[in-house]
Amino acid sequence: MSKFIVFALVIATVCLILVNAAPTQILDAQTAINKIIAAYNRYPGRSIVHPWEVATLIDPNTFVVHY
């Protein structure tokens, strides 16, 4: 039983160290969006544009699966 407690304490210690090592920079929404767009624009070439899909509603009471 003591091995499990020691293991849990080690995991908790590692988690606390990682949380404290994380950057404490909190971004507002616009800055976060701008950073995502800037990271996306680093990749050269065209983007793949997929056609729009029409959403359909499935009624679970009448839905039948044909195998």
Side-chain angles (χ1 to χ4, degrees):
M1 184 69 175
S2 63
K3 290 181 183 179
F4 294 116
I5 293 173
V6 171
F7 182 71
L9 288 175
V10 169
I11 294 294
T13 305
V14 169
C15 289
L16 288 174
I17 290 171
L18 291 177
V19 167
N20 288 333
T24 58
Q25 183 182 25
I26 298 176
L27 305 176
D28 62 338
Q30 187 62 41
T31 307
I33 291 170
N34 289 339
K35 285 185 174 278
I36 291 169
I37 292 172
Y40 178 78
N41 287 334
R42 285 187 297 193
Y43 297 104
R46 294 184 46 194
S47 299
I48 298 173
V49 179
H50 298 282
W52 287 97
E53 295 182 11
V54 178
T56 57
L57 181 64
I58 297 174
D59 184 10
N61 297 323
T62 59
F63 183 70
V64 178
V65 178
H66 298 285
Y67 291 106

